[in-house]
């Protein structure tokens, strides 16, 4: 009996999605703050097309056409050749005709390597949205964290993806510049977001795994972790730096100290007011709030 492979992680917004593994682990796997695929003992490797198609058939036999959304993993299906990815998408759409949305993680470097026509072909085959870990738009922070991309590439990849007709979700990581680079982190990120105007910006707060390379840098003094209050100030400054656009901004993760959500062109001032109201609370109350919010991956 064929057993479909499982993903290591998926975005919170894909909690009810059909999950399809097209590739194992992360082909980059060098970001200092990450290590997720090492922790779950999942080295990078490619899968055969027939195997992936068989997974889809088995999932259909098992569950029927009950899903409205599907998510492709693991870390970077856009690393796959375009013909491979479009074959998977076409088969998925044919086997699960009830799907209304198919999304995937993607690295900006892989999106940048595809031509505009390739991205359009992927969109046409059925990929509606890509979730991209921008993390920061600052070159200094991207270098420090070994993200393997740059401000210019994030802009190029983002614009190309938007032009393909796919929806684009950029993830921003509060605290990634530490106490030394936080201003550049916020400024560079606002610059990228204003240039690309992705459909979604999803905010997370940096969570440092005890076994990660970043924790080692903290031990050696190469990285000073941002304070809880510092991450709230980063959030406020990032929102303040965004130009009006329909971009949907959301702190949709449990480890954010402040959860604000809304369209930048309609709700930016409300979000800023909420953050400023919090920052005006007495010190003791703010610290109590920081202690009460869980630090989770
Ligand atoms: S953050 Fe993303 S790109 Fe970086 S190592 Fe982790 S999975 Fe790979």
């Amino acid at each position: 009996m064929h057993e479909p492979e499982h993903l290591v992680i998926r975005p919170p917004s894909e909690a009810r999605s059909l999950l399809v593994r097209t590739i194992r682990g992360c082909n980059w796997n060098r970001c200092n703050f990450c290590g997720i695929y090492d922790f779950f003992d999942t080295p990078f490797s490619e899968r055969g097309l027939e195997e992936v198609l068989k997974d889809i058939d088995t999932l259909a036999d098992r569950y029927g056409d009950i899903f409205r959304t599907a998510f492709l993993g693991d870390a970077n299906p856009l690393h796959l050749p375009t013909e491979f990815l479009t074959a998977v998408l076409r088969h998925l759409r044919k086997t699960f005709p009830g799907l209304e949305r198919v999304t995937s993680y993607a690295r900006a470097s892989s999106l940048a390597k595809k031509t505009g026509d390739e991205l359009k072909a992927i969109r046409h085959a059925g990929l509606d949205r890509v979730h991209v870990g921008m993390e920061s738009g600052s070159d200094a922070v991207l270098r420090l964290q070994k993200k393997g991309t740059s401000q210019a590439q994030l802009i190029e990849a983002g614009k190309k993806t938007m032009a393909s007709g796919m929806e684009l979700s950029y993830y921003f990581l509060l605290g990634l510049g530490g106490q030394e680079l936080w201003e550049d982190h916020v400024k560079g990120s606002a610059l990228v977001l204003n240039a690309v105007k992705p459909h979604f910006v999803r905010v997370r707060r940096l969570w440092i795994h005890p076994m990660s390379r970043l924790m080692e840098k903290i031990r050696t003094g190469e990285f000073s972790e941002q304070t809880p209050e510092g991450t709230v100030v980063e959030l406020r400054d990032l929102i303040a730096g965004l130009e009006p656009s329909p971009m949907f901004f959301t702190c949709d993760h449990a480890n954010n100290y402040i959860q604000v959500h809304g369209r930048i062109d309609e709700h930016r001032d409300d979000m800023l007011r909420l953050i400023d109201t919090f920052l005006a609370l007495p010190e003791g109350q703010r610290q109590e709030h920081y202690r009460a919010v869980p630090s989770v991956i």
Side-chain angles (χ1 to χ4, degrees), residues 15-31:
R16 307 171 102 181
S17 297
L18 170 72
L19 304 175
V20 180
R21 184 183 238 183
T22 58
I23 192 164
R24 301 183 191 97
C26 173
N27 59 298
W28 175 250
N29 208 30
R30 270 169 263 181
C31 302

Side-chain angles (χ1 to χ4, degrees), residues 20-272:
V20 180
R21 184 183 238 183
T22 58
I23 192 164
R24 301 183 191 97
C26 173
N27 59 298
W28 175 250
N29 208 30
R30 270 169 263 181
C31 302
N32 283 331
F33 58 91
C34 176
I36 182 96
Y37 293 98
D38 290 340
F39 307 144
F40 287 96
D41 201 16
T42 306
F44 169 71
S45 68
E46 298 195 7
R47 302 190 67 201
L49 178 59
E50 289 313 314
E51 252 185 289
V52 179
L53 301 186
K54 208 165 163 192
D55 279 10
I56 294 171
D57 291 337
T58 307
L59 290 165
D61 289 344
R62 197 170 287 176
Y63 301 110
D65 190 23
I66 59 166
F67 295 94
R68 294 297 153 261
T69 57
F71 176 73
L72 310 183
D74 281 332
N76 185 22
L78 270 288
H79 177 71
L80 291 162
T82 299
E83 303 71 41
F84 186 117
L85 197 49
T86 52
V88 170
L89 286 160
R90 278 194 299 269
H91 190 67
L92 181 66
R93 290 288 188 170
K94 194 174 79 192
T95 314
F96 287 90
L99 287 176
E100 290 161 10
R101 188 189 77 201
V102 178
T103 70
S104 152
Y105 279 138
R107 276 180 52 75
S109 55
S110 298
L111 289 166
K113 275 184 205 141
K114 302 275 187 210
T115 65
D117 283 346
E118 283 180 297
L119 290 177
K120 280 183 192 146
I122 292 167
R123 166 78 188 99
H124 187 69
L127 189 62
D128 299 300
R129 180 186 300 169
V130 281
H131 296 271
V132 180
M134 172 186 82
E135 329 296 9
S136 178
S138 150
D139 277 328
V141 177
L142 292 167
R143 261 195 312 273
L144 172 79
Q145 299 291 356
K146 289 201 168 53
K147 183 65 198 172
T149 187
S150 64
Q151 183 179 84
Q153 191 176 60
L154 285 163
I155 294 173
E156 183 204 342
K159 285 185 171 173
K160 233 197 277 188
T161 305
M162 295 289 285
S164 77
M166 273 189 265
E167 286 186 331
L168 178 62
S169 191
Y170 262 0
Y171 286 66
F172 171 75
L173 209 40
L174 291 165
L176 196 64
Q179 292 192 31
E180 273 153 33
L181 290 174
W182 75 269
E183 281 165 301
D184 202 56
H185 177 43
V186 170
K187 219 168 117 196
S189 301
L191 190 148
V192 169
L193 296 174
N194 284 331
V196 175
K197 296 190 171 39
H199 299 85
F200 304 92
V201 179
R202 299 182 188 276
V203 178
R204 276 100 187 82
R205 179 169 61 85
L206 177 64
W207 177 82
I208 306 172
H209 192 284
M211 305 290 286
S212 66
R213 290 180 287 271
L214 192 55
M215 189 57 92
E216 191 49 39
K217 285 184 179 293
I218 291 177
R219 288 191 196 105
T220 59
E222 284 173 81
F223 184 77
S224 311
E225 197 175 352
Q226 179 59 290
T227 61
E229 188 120 313
T231 65
V232 177
V233 173
E234 286 184 17
L235 178 67
R236 185 194 57 196
D237 288 1
L238 178 70
I239 296 172
L242 296 178
E243 294 159 4
S245 82
M247 184 193 301
F248 191 81
F249 190 97
T250 177
C251 304
D252 60 343
H253 195 281
N255 75 357
N256 288 305
Y257 289 124
I258 303 287
Q259 307 270 349
V260 288
H261 315 273
R263 273 175 57 141
I264 290 300
D265 54 358
E266 289 180 0
H267 307 116
R268 186 180 62 173
D269 292 349
D270 296 338
M271 292 191 260
L272 289 173

